Amino acid sequence: MTSPKAREEAVLEAVRKRRERVNEAIPEELPIGRPERLYEASRYLLDAGGKRLRPTVLLTTGEALADVPPLEGDYREFPTLNRGEPGETPATIDIMNAAVSVEVIQSFTLIHDDIMDDDDLRRGVPAVHKAYDLETAILAGDTLYSKAFEIMLDAGADPQRTVEALDILATTCTKICEGQSLDVTFEEREDVSPEEYLEMVEQKTAVLYAASACLPAVLMGADDETVDALYGYGLDVGCAFQIQDDVLDLTVPSEKLGKQRGSDLVENKQTLITVHAREQGVDVENLIDTTDVDAVTEAEIDEAVAKLEEAGSIGYANEMARDLVDRGKNRLEVLPDNEARDLLFEIADYLIERGY
Amino acid sequence: MTSPKAREEAVLEAVRKRRERVNEAIPEELPIGRPERLYEASRYLLDAGGKRLRPTVLLTTGEALADVPPLEGDYREFPTLNRGEPGETPATIDIMNAAVSVEVIQSFTLIHDDIMDDDDLRRGVPAVHKAYDLETAILAGDTLYSKAFEIMLDAGADPQRTVEALDILATTCTKICEGQSLDVTFEEREDVSPEEYLEMVEQKTAVLYAASACLPAVLMGADDETVDALYGYGLDVGCAFQIQDDVLDLTVPSEKLGKQRGSDLVENKQTLITVHAREQGVDVENLIDTTDVDAVTEAEIDEAVAKLEEAGSIGYANEMARDLVDRGKNRLEVLPDNEARDLLFEIADYLIERGY
């Protein structure tokens, strides 16, 4: 058995290699057209970086399904499950287009979210509405939205499969909006249950992982059982990813996080940890006196975290994330036993074992 | 030959009858789901009114193509061009879904445009970001965006035709964003040519008319020649519609317009009239001294309009709109000679002959 550290490094290397391919494909699928300022603003966040976790999940799921050695296939002419037999699914499709499409959707949601939260920074650079202006940021997001559909349409799958993929993309976008809207309403409520919180996370965050995991199956001509299982894998690990994000906000030193540790608590943001703690009788709203992240001390955060630990809330969140990852991994039994499937197991573990 | 007044009334009656059907279908296709506030905000402008010109063009084009008597067919089970013969196109499709989809796109663009222009009023009610808030308005627009795709996907056409329809919808949305972005950059330029202005209008406004006119042909299984001709009809009359809007802003009394006459001039908004006048040597930026619509007098507007008339700019715009409408009408020769086709002629005339 390899060490956790070695395993994490193997995952990061696998992600890095797919990220490079995705980074090459983004300017191909989304060139700077006219009007230049609009397309520059649309590309701004995409070019600023990002782990490309969702496209990595998508490409790796494709590799597992096609049963090809990781990174050896050409994502632009990728073998489908119809190996030259007569049928509607062509022998190869362009799954890189699908990968870029989900990353473009992710980028659109970040641009609009940053406007809504009036956040200044994203990926270490100014948010698009700060680097440009509000008008351009709204339009850049709207442009990416329709471009994601255009890019998915060009994956070259057969029409029936393309229609199914676009249906998944559209309903995913609707759910992301619904989840974001729920998140906003939660800010004014003190009675959010863990179940409601998880429903919000599923819609706001996990559905795009679910779409990423199942889209290769849809486009490549897999059966419904496989599509559903992969959707479930993405949903489970996507939820776990968000829960772990909430835990890391409390447990990782500020300098490593790149922002004030405990900022969710200071800003009274709901997380699975706080909704659990409130049910345990913790006075969550008054754990930290200030609501100003610049005024809070490390000692105040330490004290608040200690109370959340005492209430069992951090343990509860850790356990929930672990259970979700285990459930997600079990769903991968529908895939052939190969190196890419192993990587999907590792990615699931990485999402909750990552340091930040 | 009937009088212009009688013709206008016949068009308005035809539009009204289709509008009633569209108004019934909107809540069916876009019910108030959860979160309620998000869906209420998404429906707010749609429920506030609107002429439904784009869905009317779409439904009427469908009627002309199917060669059925206007308003007698069931838009939900509408005959395609495949009359029961074996083939991929089913015998009936739901063209009302396509009609609602384009109106939903139109509503999404209005919500986001009002944020960008920080306009207070729309259709006589507060803009969505005023009636709700900025966050909710951005999200409501984003929700309508993906819902338009979902609704179009449910029209029940064969997969190949559905893929083509979604491609048209996606590229139309991209062009609307590009046009809106061009419009913003024009505000800071004093050397916009009539050709550039028309290109902007085509992208920002006319492409959605073009999509509305050609989508029934795509979904019902028409040939490429018919699809292209109908797209051209929509593009021509959509451009004419916008040019006429610019003319009406100068020529219709404020109380009939529902806003200050000449407000485009006061706010230094580019129109086909001002770009033409500038080419004729008119000092367009100084036609009106104030940039405050509340401070301008009717006499100042009269004087400015007289100068624009003298330069031939209003005549130029009128002639351009008329030429576009004539060209658009000629394209309708691909359609069978029937009552619905006549109505498409009348709608084209109405768009430039309407009083406001």
Side-chain angles (χ1 to χ4, degrees), chain A residues 34-35 37-39 88 108 112-113 115-117 134-136 138-139 141-143 145-147 149-150 153-154 158-160 162-164 166-182 184-185 187 196 199 203, chain B residues 34-35 37-39 88 108 112-113 115-117 134-136 138-139 141-143 145-147 149-150 153-154 158-160 162-164 166-182 184-185 187 196 199 203:
Chain A
R34 285 188 59 224
R37 188 177 156 86
L38 175 66
Y39 280 97
E88 300 224 318
F108 132 66
H112 282 190
D113 280 2
I115 299 172
M116 293 188 247
D117 299 339
L134 176 70
E135 278 174 311
T136 307
I138 292 177
L139 272 180
D142 290 345
T143 304
Y145 211 147
S146 46
K147 279 287 174 190
F149 283 86
E150 290 185 47
L153 275 159
D154 282 342
D158 84 80
Q160 179 59 45
T162 303
V163 165
E164 286 170 35
L166 290 173
D167 198 4
I168 289 168
L169 200 65
T171 54
T172 297
C173 291
T174 301
K175 281 183 192 145
I176 292 171
C177 293
E178 290 172 353
Q180 172 72 9
S181 174
L182 272 183
V184 171
T185 61
E187 280 168 27
E196 282 182 296
E199 188 199 355
Q203 295 185 349
Chain B
R34 286 188 57 224
R37 188 177 156 86
L38 174 66
Y39 280 97
E88 299 223 320
F108 133 67
H112 282 192
D113 280 2
I115 299 171
M116 293 186 249
D117 300 338
L134 177 69
E135 279 174 309
T136 306
I138 291 176
L139 273 181
D142 291 346
T143 304
Y145 212 147
S146 46
K147 278 288 172 188
F149 282 87
E150 290 185 48
L153 276 160
D154 283 342
D158 85 81
Q160 179 58 45
T162 303
V163 165
E164 286 170 34
L166 290 172
D167 198 3
I168 290 168
L169 200 65
T171 54
T172 298
C173 291
T174 301
K175 282 183 191 144
I176 293 172
C177 293
E178 290 171 354
Q180 171 72 9
S181 174
L182 272 183
V184 172
T185 61
E187 281 168 27
E196 282 181 295
E199 188 200 355
Q203 293 184 352

Side-chain angles (χ1 to χ4, degrees), chain A residues 64-192:
Chain A
L65 279 165
D67 207 9
V68 295
L71 295 161
E72 280 186 23
D74 180 350
Y75 295 128
R76 295 297 202 176
E77 290 189 29
F78 201 76
T80 66
L81 300 179
N82 179 19
R83 308 290 164 85
E85 289 147 39
E88 300 224 318
T89 296
T92 64
I93 59 167
D94 186 339
I95 64 164
M96 182 54 87
N97 267 45
V100 171
S101 177
V102 298
E103 188 69 7
V104 166
I105 289 290
Q106 166 67 3
S107 190
F108 132 66
T109 65
L110 295 179
I111 293 174
H112 282 190
D113 280 2
D114 285 343
I115 299 172
M116 293 188 247
D117 299 339
D118 201 19
D119 281 334
D120 293 342
L121 288 173
R122 170 72 70 176
R123 291 178 177 165
V125 296
V128 176
H129 67 291
K130 299 288 179 186
Y132 293 82
D133 51 62
L134 176 70
E135 278 174 311
T136 307
I138 292 177
L139 272 180
D142 290 345
T143 304
L144 291 173
Y145 211 147
S146 46
K147 279 287 174 190
F149 283 86
E150 290 185 47
I151 295 167
M152 186 70 79
L153 275 159
D154 282 342
D158 84 80
Q160 179 59 45
R161 294 291 175 158
T162 303
V163 165
E164 286 170 35
L166 290 173
D167 198 4
I168 289 168
L169 200 65
T171 54
T172 297
C173 291
T174 301
K175 281 183 192 145
I176 292 171
C177 293
E178 290 172 353
Q180 172 72 9
S181 174
L182 272 183
D183 199 14
V184 171
T185 61
F186 283 2
E187 280 168 27
E188 283 157 25
R189 283 180 49 194
E190 295 189 4
D191 61 347
V192 177

Side-chain angles (χ1 to χ4, degrees), chain B residues 16-28:
Chain B
R16 189 184 61 72
K17 284 186 174 156
R18 285 166 186 78
R19 177 167 64 230
E20 280 171 12
R21 304 274 187 97
V22 173
N23 287 351
E24 277 167 30
I26 287 170
E28 289 167 10

Side-chain angles (χ1 to χ4, degrees), chain A residues 1-305:
Chain A
M1 196 171 158
T2 44
S3 71
K5 185 78 191 159
R7 276 173 49 203
E8 180 169 335
E9 271 171 18
V11 174
L12 289 177
E13 177 69 4
V15 171
R16 191 184 61 72
K17 284 184 173 158
R18 285 166 184 79
R19 178 168 62 230
E20 281 171 9
R21 304 275 187 97
V22 173
N23 288 351
E24 278 168 28
I26 287 170
E28 290 166 9
E29 297 306 322
L30 202 67
I32 306 286
R34 285 188 59 224
E36 275 188 24
R37 188 177 156 86
L38 175 66
Y39 280 97
E40 283 168 4
S42 301
R43 280 270 300 278
Y44 180 79
L45 262 191
L46 282 162
D47 291 351
K51 295 197 197 73
R52 317 285 189 222
L53 288 174
R54 294 160 195 80
T56 296
V57 166
L58 191 150
L59 296 173
T60 311
T61 308
E63 290 168 333
L65 279 165
D67 207 9
V68 295
L71 295 161
E72 280 186 23
D74 180 350
Y75 295 128
R76 295 297 202 176
E77 290 189 29
F78 201 76
T80 66
L81 300 179
N82 179 19
R83 308 290 164 85
E85 289 147 39
E88 300 224 318
T89 296
T92 64
I93 59 167
D94 186 339
I95 64 164
M96 182 54 87
N97 267 45
V100 171
S101 177
V102 298
E103 188 69 7
V104 166
I105 289 290
Q106 166 67 3
S107 190
F108 132 66
T109 65
L110 295 179
I111 293 174
H112 282 190
D113 280 2
D114 285 343
I115 299 172
M116 293 188 247
D117 299 339
D118 201 19
D119 281 334
D120 293 342
L121 288 173
R122 170 72 70 176
R123 291 178 177 165
V125 296
V128 176
H129 67 291
K130 299 288 179 186
Y132 293 82
D133 51 62
L134 176 70
E135 278 174 311
T136 307
I138 292 177
L139 272 180
D142 290 345
T143 304
L144 291 173
Y145 211 147
S146 46
K147 279 287 174 190
F149 283 86
E150 290 185 47
I151 295 167
M152 186 70 79
L153 275 159
D154 282 342
D158 84 80
Q160 179 59 45
R161 294 291 175 158
T162 303
V163 165
E164 286 170 35
L166 290 173
D167 198 4
I168 289 168
L169 200 65
T171 54
T172 297
C173 291
T174 301
K175 281 183 192 145
I176 292 171
C177 293
E178 290 172 353
Q180 172 72 9
S181 174
L182 272 183
D183 199 14
V184 171
T185 61
F186 283 2
E187 280 168 27
E188 283 157 25
R189 283 180 49 194
E190 295 189 4
D191 61 347
V192 177
S193 67
E195 291 72 27
E196 282 182 296
Y197 179 80
L198 285 171
E199 188 199 355
M200 183 277 286
V201 166
E202 196 171 296
Q203 295 185 349
K204 185 178 167 179
T205 305
V207 288
L208 196 53
Y209 279 95
S212 302
C214 80
L215 279 166
V218 171
L219 294 167
M220 290 164 64
D223 57 29
D224 289 350
E225 188 199 347
T226 305
V227 171
D228 291 347
L230 290 168
Y231 190 89
Y233 163 80
L235 211 57
D236 288 338
V237 303
C239 276
F241 170 80
Q242 183 60 52
I243 293 167
Q244 184 63 10
D245 241 26
D246 295 343
V247 171
L248 294 174
D249 182 73
L250 296 174
T251 55
V252 173
S254 302
E255 58 280 15
K256 208 169 167 189
L257 266 184
K259 61 174 185 173
Q260 174 62 52
R261 177 172 67 104
S263 59
D264 289 349
L265 275 187
V266 177
E267 291 167 350
N268 282 324
K269 214 174 151 293
Q270 310 261 4
T271 65
L272 186 62
I273 299 148
T274 61
V275 297
H276 176 272
R278 191 182 291 114
E279 284 202 336
Q280 303 302 307
V282 176
D283 182 7
V284 171
E285 275 64 40
N286 296 308
L287 272 175
I288 307 262
D289 286 335
T290 178
T291 56
D292 176 3
V293 265
D294 296 327
V296 75
T297 66
E298 288 293 318
E300 283 176 293
I301 304 276
D302 284 340
E303 200 185 324
V305 171

